Amino acid sequence: MPSNDSLARLAEVIESRKPANGGDPEKSYVSRLLHKGPDAFLKKIGEEATEVVMAAKDVQHGADKSKLVYEVADLWFHTMVALAHYGLTPADVVAELERREGTSGIEEKALRKAVARTAEEGAP
């Protein structure tokens, strides 16, 4: 698993490729994605998520697990491009995962539903 340091280094490279930071869409894939705007990288995230699902199904039927790792790496990468676009970093995601640590997923989901219900009840 990549360390936070390797994710932070990749986030710095992605940040440096932003057109606003001098990234050249003619020379950098990341710059090109960011230059095209959210629809471009969001489409890639959808494609990569589908490829993760397909790779996991293949692994379930005996394919090499490295195929799944490869596709998850692509998904993480494109997700990091989206984070950078919105001014976020992998550290923000890690902080959220740490916040959830020790919380039952069932409890966390129930709490989100309760908060949403309260918000709906309070809406005019």
Side-chain angles (χ1 to χ4, degrees):
M1 176 173 167
S3 70
N4 286 343
D5 289 345
S6 59
L7 291 174
R9 283 192 305 274
L10 178 55
E12 288 173 10
V13 170
I14 292 170
E15 188 69 26
S16 75
R17 298 297 199 281
K18 285 182 172 180
N21 294 334
D24 183 351
E26 297 297 318
K27 296 180 181 175
S28 165
Y29 173 71
V30 171
S31 293
R32 190 174 321 132
L33 276 178
L34 291 169
H35 179 75
K36 289 180 179 179
D39 284 351
F41 58 78
L42 295 174
K43 179 180 177 185
K44 282 302 292 180
I45 290 170
E47 290 171 5
E48 298 302 342
T50 299
E51 290 174 11
V52 167
V53 171
M54 292 174 10
K57 292 280 193 179
D58 289 347
V59 169
Q60 184 68 30
H61 295 286
D64 188 333
K65 291 179 183 180
S66 66
K67 181 177 180 183
L68 179 57
V69 171
Y70 181 89
E71 296 302 344
V72 170
D74 282 351
L75 178 60
W76 283 18
F77 173 80
H78 289 91
T79 302
M80 288 177 66
V81 170
L83 288 171
H85 174 79
Y86 294 109
L88 298 166
T89 67
D92 296 311
V93 177
V94 170
E96 175 60 15
L97 291 171
E98 288 172 347
R99 183 192 69 78
R100 296 180 187 183
E101 189 174 358
T103 302
S104 159
I106 294 169
E107 291 171 6
E108 199 268 340
K109 185 175 181 180
L111 178 61
R112 278 188 281 132
K113 284 183 178 180
V115 168
R117 266 195 312 273
T118 302
E120 286 175 8
E121 292 168 359

